[in-house]
Amino acid sequence: MSTKILLIEDEEKLARFVELELSYEGYLVTKAFDGRSGLALAETGEFDLVLLDIMLPELSGMEVLRRIRRKSSIPVIMLTARDSIEDKVAGLDRGADDYLTKPFAIEELLARIRTALRKKAAVTESQVLSACGVQMDVARHSVTVNDIPVELTKREFDLLHYLLKNKGIVLSRDTLMDNVWDYDFDGETNAVDVYIRFLRSKIDEAFDVKLIHTIRGVGYVIKDEQ
Ligand code: CA
């Protein structure tokens, strides 16, 4: 299966050139010429890597990156015309995997792409999160408690994933809402409490473990202890 690359770049000449070179290397390239349509494509989850220009119409590259990172750990390489250290720091802070200043040599871009994809493969293989006998295999999208499989809905899985990723850290309802629910979800934050109850009935109560702790007035935390 070919590796799928999403190229979000408003300079059409450059985009066509990069597309041609990447296709020649065997990558499948999809182009978007503005931030909004690029983000929509990124959110389909169909791509293996994103090349993201910073100066984009409609939605800036930084904003696109911020929104991608709410839901996905897909490798993102930022492309920019400005060789500014602030941009670089801001991009890497927001979860960009790498950063390339235009004009760049195509060989340099290819090398960066290979590195980012290798790192992603290594992470995917080892992404098993655990606490209190609960094991989550992120790549396989499966959860077991004491080796017994547990069926979770997508939302329950995403919520448990976020809690496990941040094991030991107390997370407020707002933080959980922002990171597990859609960006523009404007419902009540008690949706968090409802899904915590679902998880507890499927895990804590069903298996008699103490996985999810309530910190009164603050939020929730997963602790790795019995
Ligand atoms: Ca641009």
Side-chain angles (χ1 to χ4, degrees), residues 8-11 14 52-56 61-62 77-85 87-88 99-104:
I8 309 175
E9 167 63 76
D10 61 320
E11 287 166 55
L14 176 63
L52 178 59
D53 183 28
I54 291 188
M55 301 284 277
L56 284 170
M62 287 296 178
I77 299 176
M78 307 292 289
L79 308 173
T80 182
R82 297 181 298 176
D83 190 8
S84 113
I85 191 77
D87 274 359
K88 181 170 181 170
Y99 188 94
L100 212 52
T101 306
K102 294 184 230 174
F104 49 79

Short mmCIF file of all heavy atoms in Angstrom, two decimals, residues 8-11 14 52-56 61-62 77-85 87-88 99-104:
data_model
loop_
_atom_site.label_atom_id
_atom_site.label_comp_id
_atom_site.label_asym_id
_atom_site.label_seq_id
_atom_site.Cartn_x
_atom_site.Cartn_y
_atom_site.Cartn_z
N ILE A 8 -0.61 20.58 2.07
CA ILE A 8 -1.45 21.78 2.20
C ILE A 8 -0.54 22.97 1.91
O ILE A 8 0.29 23.36 2.73
CB ILE A 8 -2.07 21.89 3.61
CG1 ILE A 8 -2.77 20.57 3.99
CG2 ILE A 8 -3.07 23.05 3.66
CD1 ILE A 8 -3.32 20.54 5.41
N GLU A 9 -0.69 23.53 0.74
CA GLU A 9 0.24 24.56 0.23
C GLU A 9 -0.49 25.40 -0.80
O GLU A 9 -1.05 24.87 -1.76
CB GLU A 9 1.45 23.84 -0.40
CG GLU A 9 2.36 24.70 -1.24
CD GLU A 9 3.03 25.80 -0.45
OE1 GLU A 9 3.99 25.49 0.28
OE2 GLU A 9 2.59 26.96 -0.55
N ASP A 10 -0.52 26.74 -0.57
CA ASP A 10 -1.28 27.60 -1.48
C ASP A 10 -0.49 28.04 -2.71
O ASP A 10 -1.06 28.57 -3.65
CB ASP A 10 -1.85 28.81 -0.74
CG ASP A 10 -0.76 29.68 -0.14
OD1 ASP A 10 0.22 29.11 0.38
OD2 ASP A 10 -0.89 30.91 -0.19
N GLU A 11 0.83 27.86 -2.69
CA GLU A 11 1.60 28.21 -3.90
C GLU A 11 1.49 27.04 -4.87
O GLU A 11 2.16 26.02 -4.70
CB GLU A 11 3.07 28.45 -3.54
CG GLU A 11 3.30 29.76 -2.80
CD GLU A 11 4.69 29.80 -2.17
OE1 GLU A 11 5.67 29.62 -2.91
OE2 GLU A 11 4.77 29.97 -0.94
N LEU A 14 4.66 25.48 -6.56
CA LEU A 14 5.47 24.69 -5.63
C LEU A 14 4.75 23.38 -5.30
O LEU A 14 5.36 22.31 -5.27
CB LEU A 14 5.73 25.49 -4.34
CG LEU A 14 6.48 24.73 -3.23
CD1 LEU A 14 7.89 24.35 -3.69
CD2 LEU A 14 6.54 25.55 -1.95
N LEU A 52 2.66 20.83 5.71
CA LEU A 52 1.78 21.95 6.02
C LEU A 52 2.50 23.28 5.92
O LEU A 52 3.43 23.56 6.69
CB LEU A 52 1.22 21.74 7.44
CG LEU A 52 0.31 22.78 8.03
CD1 LEU A 52 -0.94 22.98 7.19
CD2 LEU A 52 -0.07 22.38 9.46
N ASP A 53 2.08 24.09 4.96
CA ASP A 53 2.60 25.45 4.82
C ASP A 53 2.06 26.29 5.98
O ASP A 53 0.97 26.04 6.48
CB ASP A 53 2.13 26.01 3.47
CG ASP A 53 2.68 27.41 3.20
OD1 ASP A 53 3.77 27.73 3.71
OD2 ASP A 53 2.00 28.16 2.48
N ILE A 54 2.84 27.30 6.43
CA ILE A 54 2.36 28.12 7.55
C ILE A 54 1.46 29.26 7.07
O ILE A 54 0.38 29.48 7.60
CB ILE A 54 3.55 28.68 8.37
CG1 ILE A 54 4.23 27.52 9.12
CG2 ILE A 54 3.05 29.73 9.36
CD1 ILE A 54 5.28 27.94 10.10
N MET A 55 1.90 29.97 6.02
CA MET A 55 1.09 31.09 5.52
C MET A 55 0.08 30.55 4.52
O MET A 55 0.41 30.30 3.36
CB MET A 55 2.01 32.10 4.82
CG MET A 55 3.10 32.66 5.71
SD MET A 55 2.47 33.88 6.86
CE MET A 55 2.46 35.33 5.80
N LEU A 56 -1.16 30.40 5.00
CA LEU A 56 -2.21 29.82 4.16
C LEU A 56 -3.45 30.70 4.22
O LEU A 56 -3.72 31.30 5.25
CB LEU A 56 -2.62 28.44 4.69
CG LEU A 56 -1.70 27.25 4.43
CD1 LEU A 56 -2.18 26.06 5.25
CD2 LEU A 56 -1.66 26.90 2.95
N GLY A 61 -1.54 27.89 8.90
CA GLY A 61 -0.94 26.57 9.12
C GLY A 61 -0.87 26.22 10.60
O GLY A 61 -1.09 25.08 10.99
N MET A 62 -0.56 27.23 11.44
CA MET A 62 -0.48 27.00 12.89
C MET A 62 -1.83 26.55 13.44
O MET A 62 -1.91 25.67 14.29
CB MET A 62 -0.04 28.27 13.62
CG MET A 62 1.42 28.63 13.42
SD MET A 62 2.53 27.36 14.12
CE MET A 62 4.10 28.08 13.64
N ILE A 77 4.93 17.86 8.97
CA ILE A 77 6.14 18.63 8.68
C ILE A 77 5.69 20.01 8.21
O ILE A 77 4.94 20.13 7.25
CB ILE A 77 7.02 17.94 7.61
CG1 ILE A 77 7.46 16.56 8.11
CG2 ILE A 77 8.23 18.81 7.27
CD1 ILE A 77 8.24 15.76 7.09
N MET A 78 6.14 21.05 8.92
CA MET A 78 5.76 22.42 8.56
C MET A 78 6.70 22.93 7.47
O MET A 78 7.91 22.70 7.51
CB MET A 78 5.88 23.35 9.78
CG MET A 78 5.14 22.90 11.03
SD MET A 78 3.35 22.93 10.92
CE MET A 78 3.01 24.71 10.92
N LEU A 79 6.13 23.67 6.53
CA LEU A 79 6.91 24.32 5.48
C LEU A 79 6.70 25.81 5.61
O LEU A 79 5.57 26.27 5.75
CB LEU A 79 6.41 23.88 4.10
CG LEU A 79 6.28 22.38 3.84
CD1 LEU A 79 5.62 22.14 2.48
CD2 LEU A 79 7.64 21.70 3.89
N THR A 80 7.77 26.57 5.58
CA THR A 80 7.55 28.01 5.65
C THR A 80 8.57 28.79 4.86
O THR A 80 9.70 28.36 4.67
CB THR A 80 7.54 28.52 7.10
OG1 THR A 80 7.27 29.93 7.06
CG2 THR A 80 8.86 28.29 7.77
N ALA A 81 8.14 29.96 4.40
CA ALA A 81 9.03 30.84 3.66
C ALA A 81 9.85 31.66 4.63
O ALA A 81 10.91 32.16 4.30
CB ALA A 81 8.21 31.76 2.76
N ARG A 82 9.32 31.79 5.85
CA ARG A 82 10.00 32.64 6.82
C ARG A 82 10.94 31.79 7.68
O ARG A 82 10.52 30.83 8.29
CB ARG A 82 8.98 33.32 7.73
CG ARG A 82 8.07 34.25 6.96
CD ARG A 82 7.11 34.92 7.90
NE ARG A 82 6.25 33.96 8.58
CZ ARG A 82 5.38 34.29 9.51
NH1 ARG A 82 5.27 35.54 9.89
NH2 ARG A 82 4.61 33.39 10.07
N ASP A 83 12.19 32.19 7.70
CA ASP A 83 13.14 31.44 8.50
C ASP A 83 13.16 32.07 9.89
O ASP A 83 14.17 32.61 10.32
CB ASP A 83 14.53 31.49 7.85
CG ASP A 83 15.47 30.51 8.53
OD1 ASP A 83 15.01 29.71 9.37
OD2 ASP A 83 16.66 30.55 8.21
N SER A 84 12.04 32.01 10.58
CA SER A 84 11.98 32.68 11.87
C SER A 84 11.99 31.65 12.99
O SER A 84 11.28 30.65 12.93
CB SER A 84 10.74 33.57 11.95
OG SER A 84 9.84 33.08 12.91
N ILE A 85 12.81 31.93 13.97
CA ILE A 85 12.95 31.00 15.09
C ILE A 85 11.64 30.92 15.87
O ILE A 85 11.26 29.87 16.38
CB ILE A 85 14.15 31.40 15.99
CG1 ILE A 85 14.47 30.29 17.00
CG2 ILE A 85 13.93 32.72 16.69
CD1 ILE A 85 15.19 29.12 16.42
N ASP A 87 8.58 31.05 14.65
CA ASP A 87 7.71 30.11 13.94
C ASP A 87 8.11 28.69 14.24
O ASP A 87 7.27 27.82 14.46
CB ASP A 87 7.83 30.31 12.42
CG ASP A 87 6.88 31.38 11.93
OD1 ASP A 87 6.15 31.92 12.78
OD2 ASP A 87 6.88 31.66 10.73
N LYS A 88 9.41 28.47 14.24
CA LYS A 88 9.89 27.12 14.45
C LYS A 88 9.51 26.62 15.84
O LYS A 88 8.96 25.53 16.00
CB LYS A 88 11.42 27.08 14.28
CG LYS A 88 11.99 25.71 14.45
CD LYS A 88 13.45 25.66 14.05
CE LYS A 88 13.97 24.26 14.21
NZ LYS A 88 15.29 24.08 13.64
N TYR A 99 10.30 20.67 10.58
CA TYR A 99 10.16 22.03 10.11
C TYR A 99 11.15 22.25 8.99
O TYR A 99 12.33 21.93 9.13
CB TYR A 99 10.47 22.93 11.30
CG TYR A 99 10.21 24.37 11.10
CD1 TYR A 99 9.01 24.92 11.48
CD2 TYR A 99 11.18 25.19 10.54
CE1 TYR A 99 8.77 26.28 11.32
CE2 TYR A 99 10.95 26.53 10.37
CZ TYR A 99 9.73 27.07 10.76
OH TYR A 99 9.50 28.39 10.62
N LEU A 100 10.68 22.77 7.87
CA LEU A 100 11.56 22.96 6.72
C LEU A 100 11.35 24.36 6.15
O LEU A 100 10.21 24.79 5.96
CB LEU A 100 11.22 21.91 5.66
CG LEU A 100 12.33 21.38 4.75
CD1 LEU A 100 13.53 20.89 5.55
CD2 LEU A 100 11.79 20.25 3.89
N THR A 101 12.45 25.08 5.93
CA THR A 101 12.35 26.44 5.41
C THR A 101 12.48 26.44 3.89
O THR A 101 13.35 25.78 3.34
CB THR A 101 13.48 27.31 6.00
OG1 THR A 101 13.42 27.21 7.42
CG2 THR A 101 13.30 28.76 5.61
N LYS A 102 11.57 27.19 3.23
CA LYS A 102 11.62 27.31 1.78
C LYS A 102 12.66 28.35 1.38
O LYS A 102 12.80 29.34 2.09
CB LYS A 102 10.26 27.76 1.23
CG LYS A 102 9.16 26.75 1.41
CD LYS A 102 7.89 27.28 0.75
CE LYS A 102 6.72 27.21 1.66
NZ LYS A 102 5.51 27.83 1.15
N PRO A 103 13.37 28.21 0.30
CA PRO A 103 13.29 27.06 -0.60
C PRO A 103 14.10 25.89 -0.04
O PRO A 103 15.14 26.10 0.59
CB PRO A 103 13.95 27.60 -1.88
CG PRO A 103 14.90 28.65 -1.41
CD PRO A 103 14.31 29.23 -0.17
N PHE A 104 13.60 24.69 -0.23
CA PHE A 104 14.32 23.53 0.26
C PHE A 104 14.66 22.60 -0.91
O PHE A 104 14.00 22.63 -1.94
CB PHE A 104 13.49 22.78 1.31
CG PHE A 104 12.08 22.52 0.88
CD1 PHE A 104 11.78 21.47 0.02
CD2 PHE A 104 11.04 23.33 1.32
CE1 PHE A 104 10.48 21.24 -0.37
CE2 PHE A 104 9.74 23.11 0.92
CZ PHE A 104 9.45 22.05 0.06
#
